[in-house]
Amino acid sequence: MKIGIVGLGFVGLSLSSVLASKGYEVIGIDNDIKKSEKISKGKLPFFEPDLEKTLKNGLRKKLTISNNFSLIEVCDIIFVTVGTPQKLNGTIELSIIKKAVKEIGKVIKKSKKNQIIFIKSTVIPGTLLNVILPIIEKESSKKNGRGFELISNPEFLQESRAIQDTKFPHAVVLGGYKNKNMQKAKNFFSKLHSKTPIIITNHQTAEMVKYANNSFLATKISFINQLSNICQNIPGSNIDDIAKIIGLDPRIGGKFLNAGPGYGGSCLPKDMKALIKFASDVGINPALLNAVEKINENQINEIILLITKEIGIISSKHITILGTAFKPNTDDVRESISIELIKKLLNKKAKITIYDPKATENTKNIFGDKIIYSKSLIDALNGSQCAIIMTQWKEFENLNNIIIKKMKKKIIIDCRRILAGSKLNAKYYALGIGK
Ligand code: UGA
């Protein structure tokens, strides 16, 4: 069984590495030459726990990395894992995926294999049948079901746990026609994930499932953030206890109830916008989704309100931002609320110092010399008039009275309540704990 994987981002590279380490012959394709050269040497283009070792393991076995599409001609299965970024109007940019499937169409034209093409990239319902399929059929001069099979296979992995999620997904969704090829696809996944439920549905339902999943996660986060803001005004109340207790109710579930500065990253905000736009396009008023998004956008104002309450005028104050990655264990700063906060504070003429265990380089690419980058927690706090914890990095749990000693004013605003149980000689405010 030979497998081609087109697009080597978090999803494609994790899948390539995991499948190759399991012994499959994998050809990973990315049209970015520099990126594919780097990966073929066993180096990662981004930080992701456990990926480097899995990639190296795969490369030692049967993983080939290239920018040459024609190599996938010999593959039995092709995964499309390219990005579908956000356009300014909230819709998704399809040019990258269109280009990728055009290349695939050209390559499979010459192939005698009856390839199964799985689309993992997130696309709005209808895209597979109305946009992707016509391109492949035109370029390959073949018909779906006769010469190739197009199946939607949405991906649910989270950055920072990509390897774990690739090895042990909670579900496998296959969207397409119920035929022999679908049975082959099911057999492939059952062998790979013997304990995972495999759900077969049609293309458009599988496409919609991805948006349903991410928008529900976003809804949970905005729900708990709204409650957190209410708790903030109930002296003594604690949002974490509330989340823990309601999470014990199996109808609610305890995950994704961690209140904070709002959801960021390259997926949740983008998928929410795309779903809201799609709902309006089909004539549905997405009132709940709009509220979820509005609460998320407003969360940053709650933080600025807290800062202003504690330090007064922001202009020329030395503020330390702890964590710029959109979540811990990643160097990804895309749509990070921390980055938005820095932008807002810079507009108010604050002097910003940041510390992030992994995301400093990516933060530098955004702010250049407009802010100061510290190499350690203790340096970042030296002379600071207020520290704001934005990302839930484990390292920040080390913050203690010795580390904060050189702060000019000992004010700490903890948006993740990491230090809620610590005894700090500081004015300590935690988002979601009423004072
Ligand atoms: C998200 C989904 O969780 C994945 O299932 C999905 O496959 C992926 O998008 C995607 O569409 O590709 P990811 O972007 O890696 O994964 O990030 P999450 O772990 O979902 O976190 C998103 C944001 O929500 C982060 O800013 C995080 O800090 C925040 N969050 C998450 C909270 O504020 N509270 C929580 O309880 C959980």
Side-chain angles (χ1 to χ4, degrees):
M1 171 81 78
K2 290 194 177 100
I3 299 169
I5 297 176
V6 176
L8 300 178
F10 284 95
V11 175
L13 190 51
S14 304
L15 187 63
S16 305
S17 309
V18 167
L19 291 177
S21 3
K22 281 181 181 279
Y24 289 96
E25 192 170 338
V26 179
I27 301 164
I29 305 284
D30 199 294
N31 63 1
D32 182 332
I33 301 177
K34 272 193 187 158
K35 190 175 168 186
S36 48
E37 274 176 359
K38 196 170 177 182
I39 297 170
S40 60
K41 288 179 191 142
K43 291 192 180 123
L44 296 184
F46 45 78
F47 170 73
E48 174 64 38
D50 299 330
L51 180 54
E52 192 168 322
K53 111 173 156 238
T54 318
L55 169 66
K56 285 186 170 147
N57 190 12
L59 288 169
R60 274 193 298 274
K61 293 186 172 171
K62 288 180 180 168
L63 175 59
T64 308
I65 302 289
S66 174
N67 62 329
N68 179 3
F69 267 88
S70 65
L71 295 184
I72 59 171
E73 190 183 331
V74 294
C75 291
D76 305 276
I77 281 179
I78 299 167
F79 284 98
V80 177
T81 52
V82 297
T84 47
Q86 186 181 309
K87 286 206 264 190
L88 280 177
N89 67 358
T91 58
I92 51 169
E93 174 63 65
L94 290 177
S95 59
I96 304 170
I97 192 163
K98 280 185 184 169
K99 210 169 148 212
V101 294
K102 197 171 169 182
E103 292 296 329
I104 292 170
K106 282 185 198 159
V107 174
I108 66 165
K109 184 175 187 170
K110 294 168 248 156
S111 175
K112 292 210 165 47
K113 303 230 170 193
N114 180 15
Q115 275 109 344
I116 301 181
I117 304 170
F118 292 105
I119 306 292
K120 276 200 171 287
S121 312
T122 303
V123 288
I124 278 296
T127 309
L128 257 74
L129 291 182
N130 301 328
V131 181
I132 293 177
L133 188 58
I135 296 176
I136 304 179
E137 288 190 335
K138 179 169 175 253
E139 296 299 328
S140 68
S141 307
K142 290 180 179 175
K143 286 275 167 216
N144 191 24
R146 280 177 279 140
F148 75 92
E149 189 75 42
L150 185 66
I151 295 182
S152 170
N153 174 222
E155 177 58 57
F156 305 106
L157 74 74
Q158 281 173 267
E159 282 181 32
S160 82
R161 39 174 298 139
I163 294 299
Q164 170 81 3
D165 287 353
T166 303
K167 283 184 177 164
F168 309 104
H170 65 268
V172 171
V173 179
L174 300 173
Y177 300 114
K178 291 176 184 155
N179 55 20
K180 266 190 184 168
N181 288 330
M182 181 61 89
Q183 192 54 46
K184 267 197 213 164
K186 192 182 175 197
N187 293 346
F188 168 74
F189 281 105
S190 327
K191 209 173 147 202
L192 201 60
H193 311 296
S194 57
K195 293 195 177 102
T196 307
I198 298 175
I199 297 103
I200 296 174
T201 179
N202 57 31
H203 293 99
Q204 48 279 41
T205 307
E207 291 168 308
M208 186 62 184
V209 156
K210 172 69 189 202
Y211 286 97
N213 220 85
N214 273 359
S215 60
F216 191 75
L217 294 174
T219 304
K220 278 188 106 172
I221 299 171
S222 279
F223 167 80
I224 205 70
N225 283 341
Q226 178 134 82
L227 255 65
S228 157
N229 297 343
I230 299 172
C231 282
Q232 192 100 17
N233 292 290
I234 311 171
S237 71
N238 183 327
I239 192 64
D240 284 333
D241 287 350
I242 290 166
K244 197 168 149 193
I245 297 161
I246 62 168
L248 290 173
D249 183 333
R251 293 168 301 174
I252 296 175
K255 297 206 168 131
F256 272 68
L257 287 177
N258 194 10
Y263 57 81
S266 64
C267 304
L268 260 46
K270 175 191 82 151
D271 290 354
M272 282 297 292
K273 281 211 163 48
L275 183 57
I276 287 171
K277 175 78 174 60
F278 179 66
S280 313
D281 288 350
V282 295
I284 297 298
N285 170 17
L288 175 65
L289 302 174
N290 278 330
V292 167
E293 198 179 44
K294 211 174 169 100
I295 291 168
N296 200 54
E297 285 166 3
N298 188 53
Q299 204 58 3
I300 198 165
N301 299 328
E302 292 292 324
I303 303 169
I304 292 178
L305 213 70
L306 254 178
I307 304 172
T308 319
K309 216 163 119 190
E310 289 320 311
I311 67 173
I313 293 165
I314 287 175
S315 173
S316 77
K317 295 273 166 55
H318 288 261
I319 299 178
T320 303
I321 303 290
L322 297 177
T324 52
F326 83 98
K327 64 174 180 180
N329 300 319
T330 179
D331 62 357
D332 197 344
V333 297
R334 286 176 293 173
E335 300 287 319
S336 166
I337 310 294
S338 180
I339 299 291
E340 284 315 300
L341 179 68
I342 296 171
K343 284 182 185 163
K344 286 195 185 252
L345 293 175
L346 283 176
N347 280 342
K348 291 180 189 288
K349 310 249 180 310
K351 293 183 175 150
I352 304 288
T353 299
I354 68 120
Y355 172 65
D356 188 287
K358 291 283 178 203
T360 304
E361 283 313 307
N362 285 337
T363 311
K364 265 188 197 162
N365 292 338
I366 299 173
F367 295 108
D369 58 8
K370 287 197 190 114
I371 63 174
I372 294 168
Y373 307 89
S374 285
K375 288 205 167 73
S376 70
L377 201 49
I378 197 159
D379 278 358
L381 294 171
N382 196 350
S384 174
Q385 291 167 288
C386 176
I388 305 163
I389 301 177
M390 290 296 287
T391 314
Q392 201 154 5
W393 281 104
K394 188 106 185 96
E395 186 184 337
F396 299 160
E397 288 173 18
N398 298 336
L399 251 153
N400 57 27
N401 286 325
I402 302 165
I403 291 177
I404 66 167
K405 206 170 172 184
K406 287 195 174 158
M407 283 183 83
K408 196 167 166 189
K409 274 206 161 166
K410 294 185 178 53
I411 299 172
I412 297 173
I413 296 175
D414 186 352
C415 298
R416 303 284 183 175
R417 297 166 306 285
I418 296 176
L419 305 170
S422 323
K423 289 202 165 60
L424 288 173
N425 293 328
K427 275 187 162 184
Y428 174 76
Y429 300 90
L431 222 57
I433 297 183
K435 272 229 168 187

